Amino acid sequence: MNTITATIDKVASLDTLVARLVPNNINIVWNEAPLGALDGTNVTFMLEFTPINDRVLVFVNGVLQERDSGGADFYLTGRTITFNRAPRYGSKILATYNKA
């Protein structure tokens, strides 16, 4: 089995497991690309929904970003993600969270 097929199978298995473990998984927003210009200067991005309890996982180019700490990469206010430094031009930003 090639690597891509094996990876797809693992992701499908993980999705099934999460669906069983998280009873309200219909409220989970997976890998949303927040709205905002990826021009190398913009630091503000908007989620479609407000995360429950302000909990959100944000990834830039596959790297989990640190939040609300001394060395934070971003802050969340309502639906707005504000990065301390603008993501590079063409970066891929994804967010996963439970919507209110």
Side-chain angles (χ1 to χ4, degrees):
M1 182 180 294
N2 68 37
T3 305
I4 294 171
T5 304
T7 301
I8 290 170
D9 289 344
K10 286 179 184 176
V11 169
S13 295
L14 181 59
D15 284 346
T16 301
L17 178 62
V18 169
R20 279 188 263 147
L21 294 175
V22 183
N24 67 341
N25 68 354
I26 59 169
N27 291 325
I28 297 175
V29 178
W30 295 100
N31 297 325
E32 176 185 325
L35 296 176
L38 283 166
D39 57 10
T41 61
N42 180 39
V43 295
T44 306
F45 296 84
M46 185 70 68
L47 297 170
E48 184 175 355
F49 303 99
T50 301
I52 293 176
N53 298 326
D54 292 333
R55 293 186 180 169
V56 63
L57 296 174
V58 175
F59 298 85
V60 176
N61 298 324
V63 177
L64 179 63
Q65 302 298 291
E66 192 172 336
R67 177 179 167 208
D68 298 340
S69 68
D73 297 308
F74 77 98
Y75 294 87
L76 179 72
T77 306
R79 296 176 28 216
T80 305
I81 296 169
T82 304
F83 287 98
N84 283 330
R85 281 181 266 155
R88 290 187 203 162
Y89 172 79
S91 291
K92 185 174 186 177
I93 301 172
L94 297 174
T96 296
Y97 58 96
N98 277 344
K99 64 182 178 180

